[in-house]
Amino acid sequence: MINNDPSVNLAIPTLPEKIKGLKDISLNLWWTWNPRGKNLFKLLNPYLWKETRHNPIAMLKSMSQEELNNACSDEYFIREYDYVYNTFQLYIQDSNIYADEPLPIAYFCAEYGLHHSVPIYSGGLGFLAGDILKESSDMGLPMVGIGFMYPKGYVRQIIGTDGWQNGAEEPIDKDTAPIERVLDADENHFTIKVPFIDPPVFASVWKINVGRVTLYLLDTDIEKNDPWDREISSRLYTSDINQRLRQQIVLGIGGYRVLEELGIEYSILHLNEGHPAFALFERVRSFMENEDLTLDEAITKVKQTSVFTTHTPLQAATDVYNFDMMSAAFKDYWEKLGMSKEQFMSFGLNPDNPDVGFNMTVFGLNMCENKNAVSKKHCEVATKIWSHVLPKKEDGSFAMDYVTNGVHIPTWLGDDLTAILNQSIGEKWKLLQDTPSCWSFIKEIENKEIWNISQNSKILMVNYIREKVRIKYAKEGIDPVVAMAEGVLLDPDILTIGFARRMTQYKRPDLILSDLTRLEKILNNRDRPVQIIFAGKAHPADMLGKKILQHIFKTAQESRFGGRIAFIEDYGENVAKYLLHGVDVWLNNPTIPMEACGTSGMKASVNGTLHLSSLDGWWPEGYNGKNGWSFGEEPSNDANDAKALYELIENEIIPLYYDYGNDIIPNKWIEKMKEAMTTIPSEFSARRMMKDYLRKFYIPISLKLQKETKES
């Protein structure tokens, strides 16, 4: 139903202005987390909206001028258009909440998960970065992002009949993605020369409008570069170590140069993991050249004004480059900074293993006084593994803080639940989303209404999965056994467990398959059946991860499980939303303490999907005994954990789900859903996370800089 807000001053645009307005909205990712924005494009042509995978730019390009004119002349559509467009303008023009200088923040990350039409992400790190930009936009934080375009994307997952992951390129269609060329003064595509690389490497610059935040993306796939150099930014996380080093030089040093040449001023540098850490050296150079600081003064200022976030629970998982590679790449650079080779290399030297090479995480930790882990548990782990690098504070503790990750609630909350929030407490609930009282009203919603939303989401999920298989069959044909393994026999009326994340050993994706005889009895129980849905990609170089995936897929093909195990191909943002909203239980069983945070369980819980997890990452902070389940021990033991998992499913989860009352709904299950929906969103929202970054890092740095400015 259209319900115009009287506070919005509705304009009456001409037909060309209406069409331009649609294009303006489509070039800003604001619509991805605004239900009315999404519905506006769906109103244009629901079938084309589905066909273009919810990509408004691709849809608008597919529509004729006559179709656009007709739509923009439709009274019903125009009423909704007026509301959405004016709401969009109010959002973009809203004054910043945190506008005091010198607060502006430059946020560097190797990947960003924003929308499936821009495949420049591989998983959790990228979605966290995307949620940070979205929340910064909502809060009015003056932030700018730097990343890579990745013309060939990450990897499109294609599962063969033998269950093996075959990777295909997922190129970005730059003409239909919500991206724009950055133009120079002569209206040419803005291109930089990356400093101190010989022969020269050039990068063109694109931008994505993430609400009020701009994300700049570097792209080396241009004619100016040699073929080898064009490949630097071609795909995410290349396995070629030499190319990976060059990639990180372009991201860090080249990204820093982009902001300089665009004249974008900022005072805080925030690095999300070690991939872009070379920006720290470029920041030293900039302070020396532009502020006339000595080397020591510049290093001190960089340390005081930079934030380093580590997600790594293992030393072995960090990027390390041998000294010969570093010398070849930076032979002129340390002289430019006035350093000796030894001094330059010392910043990345791991005291535990000094002969291996230059460690990017050690570099980030050494060059940033402000450093954080991404959960309380991870902080304990990170402090232990980097105790030889971290300085000690006066009280003897190590100088490592934590900011537990959070999720951008408007992006991940289902549209039906969003509508309930809007109706119950008004659309301003987003301003209060990090306060428990904002969610307490969930308890007052009728159980039947919560259950109907949950069941409807499950039906939509099953239909989506079946449609994926249908499209695959229509395009390339498909073996019936493969179709079964990919979900065509899923039942929307039974208890559904979901496991969707990166397929790698420490996440133990196949733990629930440890005892197939026992699992067969669980799944095929006549009165209380269960089904399991898996999804996730293995890194192209992770052979063990691919074997685990193959094991899952082959198990799903076995007829004895009756199609009640499914593996959904090509997991990404779109698939994730259907699963997060549609399954009943979200399974997570990493080897403790290998999960730094793991935000998917947060996204599930805010939608009433109950989290079943070992106590690792964020779950020790989130679990209260009533809002999900925990199992396992530390250190993890696969056999014991599998046994505990089966017992929990058999003795608690299944009986609770199928405990239907006289009203034919499982009221006790729904009460548990409500507990998750009232206790988790406020504490694990991106709003709370960004307020933590403000309180712990951004504002203290800003106040210190303001004080120094006044004193000088």
Side-chain angles (χ1 to χ4, degrees), residues 293-314:
L293 300 183
T294 66
L295 174 61
D296 289 342
E297 289 171 338
I299 290 173
T300 298
K301 187 169 182 178
V302 167
K303 289 182 176 182
Q304 292 175 344
T305 60
S306 302
V307 181
F308 181 72
T309 300
T310 177
H311 298 253
T312 308
L314 274 179

Side-chain angles (χ1 to χ4, degrees), residues 108 144-147 182 190-195 203-206 216-219 250-264 266 282:
F108 281 58
V144 60
I146 289 288
V182 177
F190 175 60
T191 302
I192 63 149
K193 177 182 176 183
V194 181
S204 60
V205 184
W206 301 74
Y216 292 99
L217 302 174
L218 284 77
D219 180 10
V250 172
L251 178 60
I253 295 177
Y256 198 97
R257 180 56 59 93
V258 166
L259 296 180
E260 275 195 331
E261 293 199 13
L262 289 176
I264 296 172
Y266 57 95
E282 190 65 359

Side-chain angles (χ1 to χ4, degrees), residues 208-225:
I208 298 179
N209 301 306
V210 187
R212 288 180 281 175
V213 170
T214 301
L215 169 62
Y216 292 99
L217 302 174
L218 284 77
D219 180 10
T220 62
D221 185 21
I222 57 178
E223 292 183 0
K224 268 187 166 185
N225 287 329

Side-chain angles (χ1 to χ4, degrees), residues 29 112-121 149 172 177-179 208 217:
L29 290 185
Y112 291 87
L114 297 162
H115 188 255
H116 54 268
S117 61
V118 193
I120 56 173
Y121 58 86
M149 169 63 79
I172 297 177
I179 58 178
I208 298 179
L217 302 174

